[in-house]
RNA sequence: GCUGCUGUAGCUCAGUGGUAGAGCACUUCCUUGGUAAGGAAGAGGUCAUGGGUUCGAGCCCCAUCAGCAGCUCCA
């Protein structure tokens, strides 16, 4: 298996005074080292055998304490500051501040300097308990409005504690390290805006992110990792490898697929259709533009008008660009009467949809305004529902794991506000999803309130190079659209009954999945996906005929070949082919011509081997046929 | 949408109010080469766009567009 994601460097979890004694190294690390947050993909966690085991507290405690240190430094530099929250997070910590002036990069340097100054005085971190009124009084006297509000939200049965060092005091439940001059290493990283309490309607504070480690080398390794991961960013690779582009002239959030990525996508689609045909799906195609009424019936207009592109009037009738494919599939279903004998119907479409995402959220290929869903709808009877869901889960597993991905699955329940349909229908849909997952042996994380407005769903998420999660696959149970569109089938007993719809996507969006894929492979696509699979490199011009002959043979066999027969130095050709991350470079010189062989330089390997050209071709074709991930 | 930052050649970036720069990539010529930079010459930019200040703007101000980090949101 080739190198995939750049793994996060090892972190020594220091457990000496850890309150948690039992469990595996990994679970302990998850609890005490990373604050109970998800362990990022590729992070290797080890119990402590640190050569400098002088850190008697978990990293999350250290980082939380360093966030206090930072806040006290900000207070001493900007006395008018008001404080928000300042927790430890997955890779570090942050603290939110309200200040009259924006913080800049150079302020971070000043703050770091002040932090070292304060730590040098060796202040102890002292905990004190207060009553609710005392606490509010202490905070109100210092004008800490946000903190006063925070006191109000502490449940009645919880202790209210403050942590103090020097002249700094903060409402905080702890725990903390004992003294701030302990040996550790920190760095302030970025400043960004964040709403107070995560609420768009409330003031925006300035958030400083930073990180801290007990061991200097680990801090350095972490920072080096962040740099390294940038090279895997799909936007960077998209430019370097000539995969895709975005254009101000076209508008934000619209992806232009270049030929090389077009090739990758076509292979993804081929694979997808193969698996869907095996799974009993049939292709459908629906228009990109429909009368607005269609989306009024579906409820999209009520719930998502602000994210739909504005109507266009054609002969005075308003039309909309489709934000979803389901109403189109429903029209096909409704086109004639349906019998129970036909169900389940599984209809699939690579349907391109347009949604006006808010300007701040578009991100490379991951979050865009026009994208192709690998959409399908299953129309089935209530009896068939759990089996259908289990079947979709199996298909998700087959397709997603073919790319070497591991996913996390979430069960998303009814949203608190925007939803349609009865409570009973939501409940039975939740049950069907749980049951389907159980049949397929899929573990589900809860996602309360995360459902679609028309029904609950199972979402599958993948991580990008930085460990940020992106939703790809989704399975959505829908009792509501069949109701709204008055869908029916004639059952065995002659009665008209309501079918259930399952909406599902596996890649989710071709754009997003491909973006995650680029990062996952760091641009080194497996053979079956690689835009160029083989580069033929003749050593001298006189070997060009042989290279061209092989190129023709390989192409006729279905391989994607770059025959580099220009009159350039072979060093240059090799450099070019390696830059393009071509899986196999085939060198053709005097010996190879004479023996009808090729010398194969495999991507990621230093060893080369000389093999008969026909043998190489047969082996490569076999690897493509099995969609192997390794070369 | 919000807060902050950014926008100079295909890419990476210099350029603090007075004639637009470098490296790599590209083109041509020379080099006929056995595994990641052979040599020379050349071409390439309304300094994101639109206003403003100024004798003069890549540089200062305003707006718009786009990008980046984060927050919020994501059928």
């Amino acid at each position: 298996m080739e190198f995939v994601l750049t793994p996060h460097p090892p972190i020594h979890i220091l457990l000496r005074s850890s309150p948690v004694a039992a469990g595996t190294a990994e679970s302990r690390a998850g609890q005490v080292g990373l604050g109970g947050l998800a362990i990022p993909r590729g992070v290797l966690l080890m119990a402590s055998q640190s050569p400098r085991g002088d850190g008697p507290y978990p990293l999350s405690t250290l980082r939380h304490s360093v966030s206090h240190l930072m806040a006290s430094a900000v207070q001493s530099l900007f006395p008018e500051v008001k404080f928000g929250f300042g927790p430890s997070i997955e890779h570090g910590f942050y603290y939110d501040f309200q200040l009259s002036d924006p913080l800049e990069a150079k302020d971070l340097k000043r703050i770091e300097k002040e932090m070292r100054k304060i730590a040098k005085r060796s202040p102890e971190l002292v905990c004190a308990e207060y009553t609710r009124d005392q606490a509010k009084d202490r905070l109100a006297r210092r004008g800490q409005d946000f903190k006063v509000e925070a006191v109000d939200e502490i449940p009645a049965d919880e202790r209210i504690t403050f942590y103090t060092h020097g002249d700094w005091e903060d409402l905080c439940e702890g725990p903390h390290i004992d003294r701030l001059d302990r040996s550790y290493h920190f760095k302030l990283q970025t400043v960004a805006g964040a709403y107070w309490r995560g609420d768009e309607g409330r003031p925006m504070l300035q958030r400083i992110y930073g990180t801290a480690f007990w061991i200097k080398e680990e801090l350095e390794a972490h920072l080096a990792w962040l740099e390294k991961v940038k090279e895997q960013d799909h936007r960077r690779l998209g430019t370097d490898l000539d995969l895709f582009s975005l254009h101000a002239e076209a508008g934000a959030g619209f992806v232009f697929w270049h030929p090389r990525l077009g090739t990758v996508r076509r292979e993804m689609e081929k694979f997808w259709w193969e698996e869907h045909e095996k799974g009993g799906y049939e292709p459908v195609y629906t228009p990109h533009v429909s009368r607005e009424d269609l989306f009024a019936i579906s409820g999209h207009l009520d719930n998502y008008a602000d994210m739909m592109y504005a109507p266009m009037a054609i002969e005075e009738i308003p039309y909309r660009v489709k934000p979803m494919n389901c109403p189109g599939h429903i029209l096909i279903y409704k086109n004639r009467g349906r019998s129970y004998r036909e169900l389940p119907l599984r209809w699939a479409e690579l349907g391109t949809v347009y949604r006006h995402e808010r300007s701040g959220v578009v991100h490379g290929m991951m979050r865009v305004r026009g994208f192709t869903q690998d959409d399908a709808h299953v129309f089935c009877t209530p009896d068939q529902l759990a089996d259908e869901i289990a079947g979709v889960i199996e298909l998700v597993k087959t397709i997603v794991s073919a790319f070497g991905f591991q996913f996390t699955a979430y069960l998303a329940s009814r949203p608190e506000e925007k939803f349609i349909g009865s409570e009973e229908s939501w409940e039975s849909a939740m049950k069907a999803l749980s049951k389907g997952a159980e049949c397929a042996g899929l573990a589900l994380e809860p996602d309360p309130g995360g459902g679609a407005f028309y029904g609950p769903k199972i979402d599958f998420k993948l991580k990008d190079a930085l460990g940020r999660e992106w939703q790809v696959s989704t399975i959505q149970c829908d009792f509501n659209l069949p109701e709204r569109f008055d869908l029916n089938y004639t059952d065995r007993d002659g009665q008209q009954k309501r079918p259930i719809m399952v909406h599902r996507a596996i890649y989710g969006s071709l754009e997003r999945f491909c973006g995650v894929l680029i990062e996952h492979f760091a641009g080194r696509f497996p053979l079956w996906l690689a835009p160029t699979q083989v580069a033929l490199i003749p050593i001298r011009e006189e070997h060009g005929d042989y290279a061209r002959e092989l190129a023709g043979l390989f192409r006729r066999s279905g391989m994607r070949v770059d025959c580099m027969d220009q009159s350039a130095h072979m060093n240059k050709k090799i450099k070019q082919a390696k830059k393009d991350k071509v899986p196999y470079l085939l060198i053709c010189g005097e010996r190879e011509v004479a023996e009808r062989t090729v010398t194969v330089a495999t991507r990621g390997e230093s060893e080369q081997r000389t093999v008969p050209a026909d043998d190489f071709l047969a082996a490569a074709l076999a690897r493509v046929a099995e969609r192997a991930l390794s070369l």
Side-chain angles (χ1 to χ4, degrees):
Chain A
M1 184 68 190
E2 273 193 287
F3 160 90
V4 182
L5 276 185
T6 300
H8 191 281
I11 297 168
H12 293 85
I13 303 297
L14 304 166
L15 294 169
R16 208 190 295 155
S17 336
S18 161
V20 181
T24 63
E26 190 164 289
S27 70
R28 278 201 304 267
Q31 288 161 31
V32 305
L34 297 169
L37 292 165
I39 296 166
R41 183 194 170 80
V43 171
L44 172 62
L45 295 161
M46 309 191 308
S48 173
Q49 255 111 57
S50 166
R52 293 205 237 150
D54 54 353
Y57 298 92
L59 266 185
S60 60
T61 304
L62 170 67
R63 289 166 174 178
H64 188 187
S65 299
V66 176
S67 87
H68 274 221
L69 173 59
M70 176 172 81
S72 66
V74 169
Q75 180 177 253
S76 96
L77 294 171
F78 309 93
E80 80 288 1
V81 62
K82 291 185 184 181
F83 297 98
F85 290 126
S88 78
I89 53 173
E90 188 172 4
H91 288 301
F93 61 86
Y94 67 78
Y95 214 115
D96 290 342
F97 308 101
Q98 188 175 56
L99 289 162
S100 47
D101 294 316
L103 289 167
E104 293 170 27
K106 65 176 196 291
D107 294 316
L108 296 188
K109 289 280 162 235
R110 279 174 70 204
I111 295 166
E112 278 188 357
K113 213 171 152 189
E114 185 68 19
M115 287 168 72
R116 292 183 214 288
K117 217 166 100 188
I118 294 169
K120 229 179 202 168
R121 291 181 213 135
S122 185
E124 275 184 82
L125 272 154
V126 181
C127 181
E129 188 170 344
Y130 295 100
T131 66
R132 193 166 298 259
D133 288 341
Q134 286 171 327
K136 283 168 80 168
D137 186 51
R138 291 183 84 84
L139 292 164
R141 259 188 287 145
R142 289 179 17 233
Q144 295 300 334
D145 314 338
F146 299 116
K147 292 284 183 186
V148 171
E149 190 183 325
V151 173
D152 282 330
E153 305 201 359
I154 297 174
D157 53 344
E158 268 182 37
R159 299 166 64 222
I160 295 177
T161 54
F162 280 56
Y163 275 81
T164 304
H165 68 262
D167 57 357
W168 153 261
E169 173 179 83
D170 193 11
L171 171 72
C172 178
E173 60 178 349
H176 280 281
I177 65 174
D178 54 354
R179 289 201 335 270
L180 280 173
D181 66 338
R182 282 191 170 277
S183 171
Y184 55 87
H185 305 270
F186 67 87
K187 183 172 172 60
L188 302 189
Q189 294 166 293
T190 56
V191 53
Y195 297 109
W196 167 238
R197 313 236 63 175
D199 183 343
E200 226 182 332
R202 311 197 65 175
M204 179 158 278
L205 310 180
Q206 300 191 64
R207 173 173 297 179
I208 300 179
Y209 285 92
T211 192
F213 290 85
W214 290 112
I215 298 166
K216 192 176 176 201
E217 289 72 22
E218 288 181 358
L219 172 63
E220 285 166 356
H222 176 71
L223 297 176
W225 173 75
L226 288 175
E227 284 303 309
K228 176 92 184 151
V229 155
K230 281 188 197 160
E231 293 167 22
Q232 266 174 266
D233 190 305
H234 76 286
R235 295 166 298 186
R236 168 88 259 136
L237 290 167
T239 304
D240 288 351
L241 299 178
D242 193 12
L243 298 177
F244 71 94
S245 52
L246 304 160
H247 300 270
E249 303 92 303
F254 296 111
V255 177
F256 291 76
W257 299 66
H258 297 193
R260 293 169 56 83
L261 196 61
T263 301
V264 174
R265 172 169 169 166
R266 191 196 50 184
E267 290 299 333
M268 289 168 63
E269 292 180 355
K270 266 159 64 180
F271 173 51
W272 187 88
W273 277 118
E274 276 175 29
E275 291 303 319
H276 280 70
E277 276 164 20
K278 286 185 212 163
Y281 286 79
E282 300 169 292
V284 293
Y285 296 87
T286 63
H288 292 78
V289 173
S290 302
R291 282 176 56 163
E292 189 175 74
D293 309 22
L294 185 62
F295 302 108
I297 300 170
S298 70
H300 291 111
L301 216 48
D302 286 343
N303 288 280
Y304 290 98
D306 53 336
M307 288 185 76
M308 288 173 65
Y309 281 90
M312 44 194 148
I314 298 169
E315 294 182 345
E316 288 169 37
I317 297 170
Y319 286 74
R320 294 277 192 161
V321 176
K322 68 175 170 183
M324 285 199 89
N325 300 302
C326 33
H329 293 192
I330 287 172
L331 291 183
I332 299 174
Y333 182 94
K334 266 178 82 84
N335 191 50
R336 62 171 170 80
R338 300 285 171 182
S339 155
Y340 75 96
R341 293 174 190 277
E342 291 181 80
L343 303 185
L345 285 165
R346 306 188 189 96
W347 290 343
E349 173 175 16
L350 295 170
T352 304
V353 297
Y354 293 87
R355 300 176 183 178
H356 192 270
E357 299 280 3
R358 294 209 285 178
S359 60
V361 305
V362 294
H363 180 95
M365 300 185 86
M366 304 292 207
R367 185 90 179 260
V368 293
R369 288 174 171 163
F371 59 97
T372 301
Q373 284 185 321
D374 62 319
D375 210 352
H377 296 93
V378 178
F379 298 87
C380 66
T381 68
D383 290 350
Q384 295 166 334
L385 183 59
D387 277 352
E388 286 304 309
I389 288 167
V392 175
I393 292 172
E394 289 303 335
L395 193 56
V396 170
K397 283 181 171 173
T398 303
I399 293 181
V400 174
S401 63
F403 296 89
F405 281 127
Q406 286 186 330
F407 51 71
T408 315
Y410 298 85
L411 178 60
S413 59
R414 198 184 69 193
E416 295 207 353
E417 282 167 17
K418 277 188 190 173
F419 67 91
I420 55 181
S422 70
E423 225 161 278
E424 299 79 64
S425 68
W426 278 83
E427 245 170 64
S428 57
M430 285 289 281
K431 268 188 203 147
L433 287 170
S434 307
K435 197 177 161 200
E438 203 178 305
C439 292
L442 179 74
L444 297 175
E445 304 282 332
D447 177 11
F453 72 87
Y454 50 69
K457 55 181 183 166
I458 297 174
D459 284 335
F460 298 76
K461 296 186 184 182
L462 300 180
K463 285 180 180 169
D464 70 11
L466 265 174
R468 295 181 287 208
E469 278 199 323
W470 296 96
Q471 183 204 308
V472 287
S473 317
T474 184
I475 304 172
Q476 310 180 349
C477 227
D478 183 358
F479 294 78
N480 292 307
L481 283 181
E483 194 74 36
R484 287 184 156 247
F485 279 94
D486 190 27
L487 300 187
N488 294 297
Y489 64 92
T490 310
D491 205 355
R492 200 184 303 263
D493 59 9
Q495 298 293 307
Q496 290 299 301
K497 294 189 183 164
R498 194 72 83 207
I500 296 163
M501 269 179 92
V502 178
H503 309 243
R504 37 110 296 168
I506 295 178
Y507 294 140
S509 128
L510 270 298
E511 283 75 4
R512 174 177 293 179
F513 195 89
C514 213
V516 179
L517 203 60
I518 292 165
E519 302 203 352
H520 176 71
F521 290 121
R524 291 182 276 263
F525 292 106
L527 192 64
W528 70 281
L529 288 170
T532 300
Q533 296 169 314
V534 170
L536 281 157
I537 301 178
I539 287 176
R540 278 204 308 280
E541 204 140 347
E542 66 203 73
H543 309 130
D545 283 341
Y546 176 62
R548 281 185 288 275
E549 185 209 327
L550 290 186
L553 170 67
F554 285 19
R555 278 195 199 105
R556 284 191 300 278
S557 308
M559 300 290 292
R560 295 183 290 272
V561 179
D562 183 5
C563 186
M564 306 181 88
D565 57 354
Q566 329 82 0
S567 65
H569 283 256
M570 73 171 285
N571 272 354
K572 198 173 184 182
K573 298 179 198 174
I574 288 168
K575 186 186 152 197
Q576 182 63 39
K578 292 202 170 182
K579 192 191 131 268
D580 289 344
K581 306 186 195 297
V582 176
Y584 295 115
L585 313 192
L586 305 188
I587 312 295
C588 307
E590 208 168 328
R591 283 201 307 276
E592 288 81 0
V593 173
E595 299 166 352
R596 197 176 167 78
T597 56
V598 286
T599 294
V600 185
T602 303
R603 185 181 62 200
E605 287 177 19
S606 50
E607 297 272 306
Q608 298 179 37
R609 61 211 155 87
T610 301
V611 297
D614 299 309
D615 293 1
F616 170 82
L617 177 60
L621 287 172
R623 282 207 132 353
V624 170
E626 67 187 23
R627 296 197 168 92
L629 291 175
S630 58
L631 295 179

